Amino acid sequence: MKTKFQIKDFSFYFNEEKVLKNINFEIEANSILGIIGPAGSGKTTFLRSLNRMNDLESGYRIEGNILLDGIDIYKPEYDVVELRKKVGMVFAMPVPLPMSIYENVVYGPRLSGVQDKKRLDELVEKSLSSAYLWEEVKDRLHTSGMRLSGGQQQRLCLARVLAMEPEAILLDEPSSGLDPISTAKIEDALTVLKKSYTIILVTNNTKQAARVADNTAFFLMGELIELGTTSQIFTSPVKTQTDDYITGRFG
Amino acid sequence: MKLFGEKAVRRILMVTAFSALSGLLLIALFILNEGLPFIFKYGIKEFLFSSDWYPHLGKFGIYPMIVASLWVTLGAMIVGAPLGVFGAIFLSEYTPRPVMKIIKPTIELLAAIPSVVYGFIGVMVLAPIIRANFGGPGLSLLAASIILGIMILPTVISISIDSILAVPQSYREGSYALGATTWQTTHMVTIKASKSGIIASIILGLGRAIGETMAVIMVAGNSVNIPNTPLDSVRTLTANIALEMSYATGMHRQALFATGVVLLIVIIILNSLASVAIRKRMVKR
């Protein structure tokens, strides 16, 4: 198995409070990593460290390294804009940009300089199909993305990430506000997409991790407690905290 | 007793609220009452589009003043709108929040400087510079445009910043996460989403520029003529009223009120446009 991300003794401080504590592990390429843990355990902060979205906040500091394909993404000369093109992100709240469905999807490719109308049209159809949204919106691509339902908006957000043809996709509780049918559609999309992408899925729903993730990591209070294949974590966890969380004794 | 107190408070508040409203109504009615009959008697076309302003001969054409007001306002926009809008973008998107929170109120202080001070600086500093470098009398359309352009900055910057900051942070994050740079995010997402607020800020600045009197009288030169170049001396509608009111009688006095009617109508139109633009933004949210 090829390694996509290497996290080496990574710590994250926000206003001098240590939010992530000396995280060490590797993320395999072309697989789905589920990250579970109670609220405030640092899951989202960790996810946002992988494409340096935390840069948008002020008052943070890091220690250690995160390597993407062997290259340190926190070294000073690293191009953050290029990083975010390679590592796409879907947020907890689906927020389409204030423009049409079509424009939302081609936003990323346009930024990368794709101008050809035919190529953009292809990308739109391909990305929306991969996000299981094409059939529902193909007749109204030029209406506002804000008019879609919550579940459709979230799939649109996934589609616009896919249109950039990234290498990895980060999902931050992508189905926290969605109905079961939309959730199922997103999960179906993810299991297909992992063939071509590395997917990291933060979720508050342990069952979701059990359903779609190949490997699962359990975070607690900013520490990585346990990492293993999903079946191992859910059937025979080594650490008692993991067992307690999965069986619902806290969290 | 308690009930009586409640009623009394309600009455008092109502009276104060209506006194403001009735003040506006009275002024509007008075100006219309004094000005409209003159306009109809003299002829709308003759009044608005004749260039002959010779009050002692009974000729009251305000066309040069209308043209001057429009040019001065346009000039103020050319100076003030880009400075204001780009300044607001810089402060809201490229400046750390704590720094912006100090600079914004400082800029708003510009609005607290009395207009006579702006005019004084215009006369003492700006006009001589224009005279020395470009020729002409110095007191000119150009001088008035620059001074007014600076005077509308606080309006434009402050309202633009408010509307840019009202754009949800999640829009920006969505854009950054797709590999956009700060400028790409700003012009493709943030400005797009706050466009109506920015337009409203410019229209409100425009209203302020067209209504400004003291600073304009001091720096515009005040000769009644249709300007050929920005270096010509001009007289605006507001300046016309302020300069001649002290000695105007009869028809002349009515003509000045009629000038006020024209100003009133222009400003009502501008303010309505601004509130439509602002309301459009509210509905979209």
Side-chain angles (χ1 to χ4, degrees), chain A residues 48 81 84 95 107 111 146 164, chain B residues 171 173 175-176 178-180:
Chain A
R48 289 166 67 96
V81 169
R84 296 193 186 127
V95 182
Y107 187 83
L111 293 179
M146 326 266 276
M164 303 192 310
Chain B
Y171 286 10
E173 288 205 336
S175 172
Y176 282 121
L178 291 168

Side-chain angles (χ1 to χ4, degrees), chain B residues 68-90:
Chain B
S69 270
L70 292 179
W71 276 118
V72 166
T73 308
L74 183 74
M77 286 300 116
I78 292 172
V79 175
L83 277 181
V85 172
F86 286 112
I89 290 169
F90 177 77

Side-chain angles (χ1 to χ4, degrees), chain A residues 61-84:
Chain A
R61 180 166 69 80
I62 63 145
E63 281 168 5
N65 317 89
I66 294 179
L67 310 188
L68 170 63
D69 295 325
I71 296 166
D72 182 1
I73 62 172
Y74 279 93
K75 63 179 179 183
E77 69 272 22
Y78 199 89
D79 185 346
V80 185
V81 169
E82 280 309 308
L83 171 68
R84 296 193 186 127

